[in-house]
Amino acid sequence: MSPPSLIDAHPNLAGAAPVALSYELFPPRSPAAAESLWTTIGELEATDPDYVSVTYGSSGSNHGTAIELINRLVQETTLRPLAHLTCVGNSPQELAEIIGELLDVGVRGILALRGDQPKDGGAPPEGSLRYAQDLIELIRRVEQRRSALLCAGKVAVGVAAYPTRHPESPSEAHDVEVLMAKQRSGADFAITQVFFHTEQYADLLTRARRAGVTIPIIPGVMPLTSLRRLARLAELTGVEPQPELIERLAAADTDAERIRIGVSATVDLANAALDAGAPGLHLYTFNEHAAALDVLDKLALPRPRTGRHSGNRNSGARIDASRHAATGQLAS
Ligand code: FAD
């Protein structure tokens, strides 16, 4: 019999692992949007997230503003950026340059995505990468060329995962095969598409683990306070919200009530995912902090105490409607 492992007995490794916290932001489209985004960034920074992800337009449509936002996050805040990068419509050469540019500004986490196909239904330009899997392999090749520059931190590569079937995929089983292929190509973790039913994250986790996917799968959760946004999201992602939630939001008499209903539904989703073993929580913020902070307030996330900020938002269940009013983010 082999002796007991010292690592297994190590007191710091006993008990539940801390839950990762992250937010999604998108590059602002106007100076006014930038101003409001920086207020949001300040509020989110006070919650000590592990990283904030920055979206990237398909075919690099917002390349300049994405790099600018990432650069400012690195220079002016304590936040660690996770840069989304899409590959559809770009050649491997162009993408290798962008990956180099991201590494040069200090990025050490990239979410490798295909991006949405051109809206006109046309084929992507000749020579552009086809799948997110190809982009992961390219990132790993660029990383390898720079390995001596990355001695103080390798690149973490994330990918998208789908609790409900990707609109172009033949089945949920195929989606899990694709996730497995992305893991084999070098993905370190996955973040899920939005989902609206409490059991969907647990189901994905079960299917993925059964297929051999071992990387962390982090649930992406969107505060469900806006009917307009839910409808737009369903259009963009093909993910249908629960009809009961839509009915309850539509029947609410006041914005405050709608926020309460939406936040409570989001907290239920997040808690179901955490109960199923989610290693983190990724909040889709739409560049607004109020609903995200309301959700966070109602969750008792086991978070490490980094002491980077004095504020600790996980202090109890309180929905502050004035937060929404002050920032003009009332549900629509
Ligand atoms: P892939 O994994 O390449 O999959 C695309 C399709 O091809 C799927 O139907 C899949 O089943 C199929 N497929 C993949 N590999 C293979 C293979 N080897 N053989 C056969 N079929 C295959 N979009 C943006 O434009 N910008 C963003 O910043 C952005 N951020 C996102 C963040 C998250 C967390 C998520 C979940 C999505 C995000 N998206 C973003 C949307 C994403 O670009 C779309 O969902 C896109 O349609 C698919 O991207 P993917 O990376 O999953 O592609």
Side-chain angles (χ1 to χ4, degrees):
M1 198 172 82
S2 56
S5 156
L6 281 178
I7 293 168
D8 287 344
H10 194 283
N12 288 341
L13 295 181
V19 168
L21 172 67
S22 54
Y23 302 105
E24 182 185 277
L25 303 172
F26 59 82
R29 299 192 182 109
S30 67
E35 203 181 318
S36 136
L37 171 63
W38 280 93
T39 304
T40 284
I41 288 171
E43 294 283 333
L44 298 180
E45 188 179 12
T47 67
D48 270 341
D50 296 283
Y51 56 93
V52 290
S53 80
V54 175
T55 66
Y56 193 78
S58 245
S59 309
S61 52
N62 64 354
H63 173 79
T65 44
I67 297 283
E68 193 185 326
L69 175 56
I70 289 167
N71 212 359
R72 278 193 69 185
L73 287 170
V74 172
Q75 301 286 333
E76 299 173 25
T77 75
T78 56
L79 298 166
R80 298 181 191 95
L82 169 69
H84 296 208
L85 182 60
T86 60
C87 62
V88 72
N90 283 112
S91 68
Q93 288 74 17
E94 288 165 333
L95 288 163
E97 272 173 36
I98 299 166
I99 297 161
E101 193 179 2
L102 289 171
L103 298 182
D104 286 345
V105 300
V107 167
R108 292 295 178 269
I110 300 178
L111 193 66
L113 301 150
R114 185 198 65 181
D116 285 319
Q117 298 283 24
K119 286 201 173 53
D120 59 13
E126 180 85 20
S128 83
L129 296 187
R130 193 163 173 205
Y131 296 125
Q133 191 186 348
D134 304 321
L135 180 58
I136 301 166
E137 288 167 16
L138 182 65
I139 294 168
R140 290 303 182 206
R141 278 170 53 196
V142 174
E143 181 186 31
Q144 207 171 18
R145 280 168 59 90
R146 293 174 169 238
S147 51
L149 278 64
L150 294 167
C151 288
K154 298 270 184 200
V155 181
V157 179
V159 292
Y162 297 89
T164 56
R165 186 181 61 80
H166 182 268
E168 294 163 43
S169 168
S171 64
E172 288 179 347
H174 174 85
D175 285 336
V176 166
E177 280 170 32
V178 168
L179 184 57
M180 186 65 198
K182 293 197 261 197
Q183 173 179 294
R184 268 198 302 268
S185 290
D188 295 303
F189 66 98
I191 301 180
T192 75
Q193 184 57 283
V194 288
F195 57 98
F196 298 115
H197 295 261
T198 48
E199 71 286 358
Q200 284 170 335
Y201 171 79
D203 289 350
L204 168 66
L205 208 57
T206 304
R207 281 183 275 118
R209 296 294 179 246
R210 210 173 273 154
V213 176
T214 54
I215 55 175
I217 301 176
I218 296 158
V221 175
M222 186 189 88
L224 309 166
T225 55
S226 161
L227 277 173
R228 181 178 42 82
R229 192 165 287 159
L230 282 172
R232 176 90 183 111
L233 204 80
E235 197 185 303
L236 286 174
T237 62
V239 183
E240 288 296 332
Q242 280 171 303
E244 311 89 77
L245 176 66
I246 303 276
E247 279 164 29
R248 288 180 62 214
L249 287 173
D253 290 327
T254 62
D255 287 331
E257 195 185 340
R258 206 167 291 133
I259 290 165
R260 231 182 334 269
I261 293 168
V263 167
S264 163
T266 311
V267 167
D268 288 348
L269 274 184
N271 275 330
L274 293 166
D275 288 348
L281 201 60
H282 186 65
L283 284 163
Y284 292 107
T285 67
F286 289 93
N287 286 5
E288 296 170 357
H289 55 275
L293 296 185
D294 285 346
V295 170
L296 197 59
D297 277 349
K298 296 198 89 179
L299 293 169
L301 291 186
R303 301 276 302 137
R305 291 195 163 271
T306 62
R308 285 188 297 163
H309 304 286
S310 52
N312 182 356
R313 317 235 36 141
N314 301 336
S315 53
R318 186 174 53 86
I319 293 179
D320 184 353
S322 65
R323 245 186 221 158
H324 295 262
T327 48
Q329 292 147 10
L330 289 170
S332 53

